[in-house]
Amino acid sequence: MTRSVVVLDYGSGNLRSAQRALQRVGASVEVTADPGAAAAADGLVVPGVGAFEACMTGLRKIAGERIIAERVAAGRPVLGVCVGMQILFARGVEFGVETKGCGQWPGAVTRLDAPVIPHMGWNVVNSGPGSALFKGLDGLDPPARFYFVHSYAAQRWDGSPAAVLTWATHRVPFLAAVEDGPLAATQFHPEKSGDAGAAVLSNWVEGL
């Protein structure tokens, strides 16, 4: 059965590339800000690029926080991507300015302490045990690589101990993905990550 996915349009993110990537793995995809469509779809993708504060401003204009919260409360799948992952945390700190996030997860998104910023390009990840997103990608030789473009990340986890955490390192460890019940997210861009990214999206769609 074809799964329906809404890519949430709140003025941020690679909407069409996300749409095409999801279509390639068999989903029926609509790009919209309509809350009814976002509520009804089997899965909701929350993209995001740029600054945490700008993304939250756009999200609030369409009541995106409520859309996400209601889906999660109902146990309906949501996938955040890049800054769409970051805004799921309680707050983001950029250039000394703290911005309130969606608060689905506790903690802050902060600047990576690395000599080269942004962290841009391909990197390996250490997927958590029992990960559904990375099913079939463990133990590959060479290991699967994913495409990152970011200067900020969640660098610790204070949420549910039952969550499956996937880490990566750019001088310092950071969360590359989280799977927490119906709510999942990736710091990397699966739509830009070739076959490995397509496998992650396919695994997510299959779980809807």
Side-chain angles (χ1 to χ4, degrees):
M1 184 175 69
T2 301
R3 299 297 186 182
S4 63
V5 174
V6 160
V7 176
L8 190 63
D9 182 1
Y10 64 98
S12 179
N14 302 302
L15 303 176
R16 298 303 169 185
S17 59
Q19 180 185 33
R20 289 191 296 269
L22 287 156
Q23 287 171 337
R24 283 195 293 269
V25 299
S28 171
V29 188
E30 181 181 5
V31 177
T32 182
D34 178 67
D42 295 318
L44 177 69
V45 173
V46 182
V49 297
F52 189 107
E53 184 178 23
C55 285
M56 283 305 304
T57 298
L59 195 68
R60 290 190 181 106
K61 286 180 179 177
I62 66 161
E65 289 170 291
R66 179 178 57 79
I67 292 170
I68 294 167
E70 289 179 354
R71 281 193 64 98
V72 173
R76 295 178 60 74
V78 176
L79 176 68
V81 174
C82 196
V83 185
M85 170 178 176
Q86 296 177 7
I87 59 177
L88 297 173
F89 287 86
R91 62 193 193 280
V93 182
E94 294 181 345
F95 307 111
V97 176
E98 184 168 310
T99 302
K100 183 180 178 183
C102 292
Q104 290 294 325
W105 294 323
V109 171
T110 55
R111 191 177 190 272
L112 293 170
D113 182 13
V116 178
I117 292 292
H119 171 219
M120 184 166 61
W122 299 86
N123 202 348
V124 298
V125 304
N126 181 20
S127 58
S131 169
L133 287 181
F134 295 91
K135 182 181 65 176
L137 294 171
D138 287 330
L140 297 180
D141 186 17
R145 291 180 176 269
F146 301 89
Y147 191 79
F148 292 84
V149 184
H150 64 117
S151 300
Y152 298 82
Q155 297 173 60
R156 57 178 290 171
W157 177 253
D158 297 313
S160 168
V164 177
L165 308 178
T166 291
W167 295 86
T169 300
H170 182 61
R171 183 179 174 186
V172 293
F174 65 89
L175 280 165
V178 176
E179 297 163 67
D180 183 22
L183 187 58
T186 67
Q187 179 60 66
F188 58 85
H189 286 277
E191 78 281 5
K192 296 181 179 179
S193 296
D195 291 345
V200 167
L201 291 177
S202 179
N203 286 338
W204 183 72
V205 169
E206 285 178 8
L208 297 178

